[in-house]
Amino acid sequence: MSKNSNHLSGKEVREIAKQNKKIIKCLEAYKNRKAEESEYLAHMSDPNNILEIDNLHTYFFTEQGVVKAVNGVSFNIPKNATVGVVGESGCGKSVTSMSVMRLIQGPAGQIYAGSIRFNAKDKAGFEKAYDIAKIPISDIHKIRGDQIAMIFQEPMTSLNPVFTIGQQLDEVTFIHNPNATKEEAKAKSIEMLDLVGIAIPERVYNSYPHELSGGMRQRVMISMALASDPRLIIADEPTTALDVTIQAQILDLLRELKTKIDGSIMLITHDLGIIAEMADYVVVMYAGRVIEKGTVREIFHNPLHPYTIGLQKSKPTLESDSETLFNIPGNVPNPINMPNYCYFRERCSKCIKKCSGDYPGMIQVSPTHFVACHLYGEEAESNG
Amino acid sequence: MAEKTNAQPFDPEAILEVRNLRKCFPLKKTITGKVTSELIAVDNVSFKLKAGETLGIVGESGCGKTTLGRTILKLHPSSGGQIIFDGKDITNLKSSQMREIRKQMQIIFQDPYSSLPPRSTVGGILSEPVEVHNIVPKSEVKSYVLDLMEKCGLRDYYYERYPHEFSGGQRQRICIARALSVNPKLVICDEPVSALDVSIQAQIINLLKQLQQDMNLTYVFISHDLSVVKFISDKIGVMYLGSMVEFGTKEDIFSNPLHPYTKALFSAIPHPDPDFKMNRIVLKGDIPSPANPPKGCRFHTRCPYATDICKEKVPEYKDYGNGHCAACHLLEQ
């Protein structure tokens, strides 16, 4: 690391800003355009998937340069499955979920390339695939909050403090079903609160967020996500702000609900324990890319990428009795000006010559197991 | 054992002894300043800690673990009980007398982003305590600090840099170096790794362990993460709503947890193995407000085994052999 690697002169900053402005203008115009539905219809590559993320690139155009927060991410979410996305902070897992919801904060943040195909269900019950990345922002409410719902990390800040829980829950029903009467909305809200295991739903309906504990607020958030009968729930670190005993309650609830609502869950977390318990499929991300994906058993019993192995070893468990903890040296690389070679090279203990070359492509190990690492590419080549 | 603390002599082996420590925060005051209601944050906590040992304190948020740590350091004045540090009762010392002792007890805070002054360089942050406490002669301060930085895994050219240039893990290393700059005997680590990523967490925990061996430090390690506490501690105290519900050696607590809360806490941790099946005890409800704790045993509102006596009488904190203490009516039967 050179001493002034982060320093830019005023001239350079202006130059970057000028270039950014051009690209952002173009992308913003595309986002705000008016378009017919036929323009953003898509075709699912597998009808059993609810969501297919294909080579997604989400960039942030900052004055220091372009931050490639999500840099070519692809994975699928099958119907009725829980897909866990795991990685450390800054690896792009939240930005991926925000891209699916089209909640990336513009103008700096933009979906630059790639497609997000979502298998929506129209009012008549027929399936219809949309490309979320192409939907103009004025039409996104057809999907967002209606077919895909999100549970955020911080239940304390996600609820509006000046409205009662009831008012906030009713709003969801009114937006997605404008013909509903007040009584219908209230009945639906109370039913939802009951569904998430709140003991006295009528009382909670009339209370303000500050009157509830953290666990209760997260339950309200979950009930709000369920109010529109979504097909996919994105849970972005749903239990990070909660205590372990409350976390156990919420995880139990999510598992129960998945079978009740007959939907899929995309679970984003940094805790491998939660993933092992909840997920059917696991996607491991590092520095904006997917480095390994597979079923939960493949990832936990046969991890291949050195980062996945290191991550699992560096977590102290209740069973382990070793004296020192395994650790991955170094830090996550600077997201601006990422190198061309494998992003994990500097921290990797199994580095080989080939690692200085191009970024490794996805190598298929089994029908469901993929890894992006040169170590396995060689094996595959020599075997066949 | 708890009643006659004042008569008991100090244990010469213990570097830190806490006897019936209480800390209350006033909630309401009358116009004359009389306290009408108070929040009992730490209630009757007692333990002993030998030099070179690590005490892990676990509990959920609001259980008083941070307040306990700060009260031991006398960052909050205590409301009752005794704190004996290195054979000396420090409970009622004046702040001028505390200054000498502060050198020997330090704290590492949870959030490395807000606990470093943004306008001083790393060199400035680390030399200030050394100069204030006259640890080494003025001319040797810089070499002393550089030496310390090396011990904590910081490169020497970081000396001129500012905290915002560092990542969370490196900032926590600076915080650790700052705490160790005055050669303390006791370091209170208040959730030092909970703001960090898993791979960085492991680096910091290994560093803390290494430094403990090199400098013969005693740690009070406060955390809500049981697996981290198990890794670093020799003794463990489990707190719930201000009181210590179980205390013992690591082996005792993990192989034979006595209190139902400890058992529930262990079973609540997600296990990183998809094929692992555990009989999970899921506790119902939330932690009651510490301003209005339940009568009798404080855990009875969530305890799956609660009986009538639990609602009436506060269970006694008793030793069940080998210093393994717990407070539960079930164990007395």
Side-chain angles (χ1 to χ4, degrees):
Chain A
M1 202 196 295
S2 78
K3 209 176 170 186
N4 286 325
S5 64
N6 292 336
H7 184 74
L8 291 175
S9 69
K11 201 178 161 191
E12 284 171 309
V13 168
R14 279 194 298 277
E15 189 61 35
I16 292 171
K18 213 168 143 191
Q19 286 169 1
N20 285 349
K21 218 172 157 187
K22 243 187 237 166
I23 306 170
I24 289 171
K25 205 177 158 191
C26 196
L27 290 167
E28 280 285 300
Y30 186 72
K31 208 162 90 177
N32 294 325
R33 80 196 192 283
K34 291 263 175 289
E36 291 295 311
E37 201 188 66
S38 56
E39 228 180 271
Y40 50 82
L41 277 178
H43 188 73
M44 303 297 281
S45 61
D46 182 351
N48 286 325
N49 286 339
I50 189 102
L51 188 80
E52 291 173 354
I53 297 177
D54 198 355
N55 202 17
L56 179 71
H57 292 258
T58 303
Y59 293 173
F60 289 86
F61 297 91
T62 69
E63 288 186 352
Q64 268 78 45
V66 181
V67 177
K68 297 179 178 173
V70 173
N71 193 1
V73 164
S74 316
F75 62 90
N76 302 332
I77 301 180
K79 280 179 188 163
N80 298 328
T82 303
V83 175
V85 181
V86 67
E88 294 181 283
S89 46
C91 74
K93 53 192 196 301
S94 283
V95 178
T96 309
S97 70
M98 291 293 198
S99 307
V100 174
M101 292 296 269
R102 290 294 296 273
L103 285 172
I104 298 291
Q105 188 75 43
Q110 300 286 348
I111 296 180
Y112 187 74
S115 59
I116 306 164
R117 293 186 293 274
F118 177 67
N119 205 347
K121 210 174 209 173
D122 61 10
K123 295 233 161 57
F126 291 110
E127 288 189 338
K128 213 178 199 180
Y130 291 114
D131 188 344
I132 293 179
K134 282 194 190 137
I135 299 181
I137 212 77
S138 52
D139 287 349
I140 192 70
H141 62 265
K142 278 191 214 167
I143 305 283
R144 183 207 284 162
D146 191 41
Q147 307 250 343
I148 307 179
M150 191 152 179
I151 302 163
F152 294 93
Q153 177 173 4
E154 280 277 331
M156 317 286 165
T157 51
S158 308
L159 289 165
N160 192 333
V162 298
F163 291 106
T164 62
I165 299 296
Q167 283 167 320
Q168 299 184 48
L169 274 173
D170 288 354
E171 197 188 351
V172 182
T173 315
F174 286 133
I175 286 174
H176 295 290
N177 181 10
N179 303 323
T181 62
K182 266 189 184 171
E183 286 72 32
E184 278 169 14
K186 184 173 176 181
K188 172 100 184 169
S189 303
I190 289 185
E191 186 198 324
M192 284 301 145
L193 288 174
D194 196 40
L195 187 72
V196 294
I198 286 177
I200 319 163
E202 286 82 6
R203 211 175 83 195
V204 172
Y205 183 85
N206 287 319
S207 44
Y208 285 90
H210 74 265
E211 297 173 69
L212 307 176
S213 66
M216 290 274 261
R217 279 182 229 186
Q218 196 57 289
R219 279 170 199 268
V220 170
M221 288 300 295
I222 294 172
S223 74
M224 200 179 276
L226 295 177
S228 57
D229 300 317
R231 305 195 79 198
L232 173 67
I233 297 174
I234 300 177
D236 188 356
E237 308 246 7
T239 57
T240 310
L242 306 174
D243 284 314
V244 265
T245 59
I246 309 295
Q247 170 176 295
Q249 292 174 2
I250 297 289
L251 292 181
D252 269 9
L253 173 68
L254 277 176
R255 208 174 303 136
E256 245 173 62
L257 287 173
K258 201 187 94 187
T259 46
K260 262 190 205 167
I261 63 161
D262 191 31
S264 307
I265 297 179
M266 175 173 161
L267 181 71
I268 295 165
T269 176
H270 63 266
D271 189 334
L272 288 167
I274 295 177
I275 292 278
E277 222 172 78
M278 300 284 297
D280 305 311
Y281 299 94
V282 183
V283 177
V284 186
M285 285 183 72
Y286 183 76
R289 288 197 186 235
V290 174
I291 53 147
E292 191 167 0
K293 57 186 175 184
T295 64
V296 69
R297 286 201 171 71
E298 282 165 346
I299 297 290
F300 280 91
H301 294 164
N302 182 26
L304 295 177
H305 199 284
Y307 177 68
T308 318
I309 298 170
L311 209 57
Q312 287 182 18
K313 272 204 262 176
S314 58
K315 176 140 175 86
T317 61
L318 293 180
E319 278 73 36
S320 65
D321 279 315
S322 59
E323 267 302 297
T324 51
L325 218 47
F326 177 83
N327 66 54
I328 307 173
N331 284 301
V332 181
N334 183 346
I336 300 173
N337 302 328
M338 278 292 198
N340 291 328
Y341 50 82
C342 176
Y343 300 161
F344 192 60
R345 196 186 79 176
E346 262 89 39
R347 304 176 74 188
C348 188
S349 55
K350 293 180 185 164
C351 201
I352 52 172
K353 237 189 209 164
K354 214 178 163 192
C355 296
S356 314
D358 287 346
Y359 192 90
M362 270 287 173
I363 293 147
Q364 186 162 17
V365 189
S366 83
T368 47
H369 197 171
F370 295 84
V371 63
C373 181
H374 285 304
L375 287 175
Y376 303 98
E378 253 183 357
E379 246 177 48
E381 275 163 28
S382 58
N383 289 344
Chain B
M1 94 190 173
E3 284 76 32
K4 306 165 210 148
T5 42
N6 290 335
Q8 268 186 8
F10 305 146
D11 187 341
E13 274 189 19
I15 186 159
L16 176 73
E17 191 174 348
V18 170
R19 291 177 184 173
N20 297 16
L21 190 68
R22 267 172 78 84
K23 173 66 198 169
C24 310
F25 292 105
L27 285 176
K28 275 183 193 158
K29 280 183 188 169
T30 58
I31 200 154
T32 49
K34 205 178 141 198
V35 177
T36 52
S37 81
E38 53 186 8
L39 184 153
I40 305 171
V42 175
D43 191 13
N44 254 340
V45 170
S46 311
F47 62 82
K48 273 183 204 169
L49 193 58
K50 283 182 200 157
E53 277 187 333
T54 303
L55 167 67
I57 294 179
V58 279
E60 294 177 276
S61 49
C63 74
K65 51 191 193 302
T66 298
T67 312
L68 174 66
R70 293 188 179 198
T71 313
I72 291 171
L73 286 182
K74 292 200 64 196
L75 295 176
H76 299 308
S78 62
S79 322
Q82 274 184 303
I83 307 158
I84 298 135
F85 176 70
D86 214 4
K88 200 172 169 191
D89 187 345
I90 61 164
T91 326
N92 296 315
L93 289 188
K94 285 185 209 138
S95 55
S96 55
Q97 292 168 304
M98 268 310 287
R99 188 164 296 165
E100 265 313 293
I101 293 167
R102 285 266 149 79
K103 245 197 286 191
Q104 297 169 25
M105 44 210 299
Q106 285 290 322
I107 185 165
I108 299 164
F109 294 100
Q110 172 172 8
D111 186 1
Y113 292 88
S114 57
S115 52
L116 290 172
R119 282 167 183 254
S120 347
T121 57
V122 172
I125 293 168
L126 297 180
S127 3
E128 193 179 339
V130 181
E131 281 164 12
V132 167
H133 287 291
N134 288 324
I135 304 295
V136 289
K138 265 224 161 107
S139 54
E140 290 168 30
V141 169
K142 187 166 180 183
S143 63
Y144 176 82
V145 167
L146 287 173
D147 191 40
L148 184 73
M149 282 168 66
E150 198 196 321
K151 262 191 213 163
C152 295
L154 295 163
R155 310 244 177 89
D156 52 359
Y157 59 83
Y158 292 173
Y159 192 85
E160 297 294 331
R161 289 202 180 176
Y162 289 89
H164 75 263
E165 299 175 54
F166 295 97
S167 65
Q170 278 170 322
R171 281 182 213 215
Q172 201 57 287
R173 284 176 195 267
I174 300 170
C175 290
I176 293 170
R178 178 175 61 180
L180 299 183
S181 61
V182 292
N183 283 325
K185 286 180 180 164
L186 173 74
V187 180
I188 305 230
C189 310
D190 188 358
E191 307 239 15
V193 294
S194 49
L196 307 174
D197 279 318
V198 189
S199 68
I200 310 296
Q201 220 175 52
Q203 293 175 8
I204 297 294
I205 294 171
N206 281 342
L207 174 68
L208 283 171
K209 257 200 148 168
Q210 180 64 43
L211 289 169
Q212 179 170 39
Q213 281 173 5
D214 294 351
M215 303 172 76
N216 194 26
L217 298 167
T218 309
Y219 288 140
V220 174
F221 194 94
I222 299 166
S223 177
H224 64 269
D225 191 338
L226 269 169
S227 37
V228 171
V229 165
K230 188 201 171 192
F231 185 76
I232 200 162
S233 309
D234 303 304
K235 285 184 175 161
I236 290 173
V238 183
M239 285 185 79
Y240 185 76
L241 269 185
S243 48
M244 193 79 93
V245 295
E246 191 164 352
F247 180 86
T249 61
K250 173 170 81 178
E251 290 75 25
D252 280 345
I253 294 261
F254 277 89
S255 60
N256 180 27
L258 296 174
H259 200 279
Y261 178 65
T262 316
K263 289 178 191 166
L265 209 56
F266 285 171
S267 79
I269 305 165
H271 199 276
D273 182 354
D275 291 335
F276 187 83
K277 287 278 167 285
M278 199 184 335
N279 294 327
R280 172 161 294 169
I281 312 164
V282 176
L283 293 177
K284 287 191 188 104
D286 288 316
I287 309 175
S289 157
N292 185 20
K295 255 190 187 171
C297 173
R298 289 181 169 189
F299 185 55
H300 85 253
T301 51
R302 300 175 77 197
C303 183
Y305 314 108
T307 54
D308 286 339
I309 188 171
C310 302
K311 291 174 191 158
E312 299 297 326
K313 222 178 111 195
V314 180
E316 226 179 286
Y317 184 67
K318 273 190 190 165
D319 192 337
Y320 289 90
N322 194 20
H324 190 173
C325 306
C328 182
H329 286 301
L330 291 167
L331 301 167
E332 289 172 20
Q333 287 156 13

